[in-house]
Amino acid sequence: KRKHRKSHGKIGFLELTRMIAKRWGEVDDETRQYCKMMAAMELVKYKEDMESYNVYKGRLEAIGEIPQDMKDRLAKKKRAADRKQGGAA
């Protein structure tokens, strides 16, 4: 369970979500198309970056060298999966 975080008191998450949704619904088609195009471009870039990362990671694993940050992330992912399995049983 996440710790309670102190709010800045200016706007709540629900109110912010509603405001964004309302404004997005009022956006003109040209702006909406631009945003969707930018999102699609970012998705392509993300997939290319992940492909590059996975190739790099594969090469390191093949020679038996894994940087500490990768080891930490893998350990964290394994702990989360173990907790999930333990909770589902």
Side-chain angles (χ1 to χ4, degrees), residues 73-87:
R73 273 187 257 129
L74 291 171
K76 184 177 179 181
K77 192 182 277 189
K78 185 179 182 330
R79 285 192 304 270
D82 289 346
R83 276 195 303 270
K84 197 172 192 179
Q85 278 184 337

Side-chain angles (χ1 to χ4, degrees), residues 55-84:
V55 167
Y56 172 72
K57 184 175 134 186
R59 287 181 184 159
L60 289 175
E61 288 174 345
I63 60 173
E65 293 182 20
I66 301 178
Q68 189 61 43
D69 66 323
M70 280 188 195
K71 288 179 185 177
D72 294 344
R73 273 187 257 129
L74 291 171
K76 184 177 179 181
K77 192 182 277 189
K78 185 179 182 330
R79 285 192 304 270
D82 289 346
R83 276 195 303 270
K84 197 172 192 179

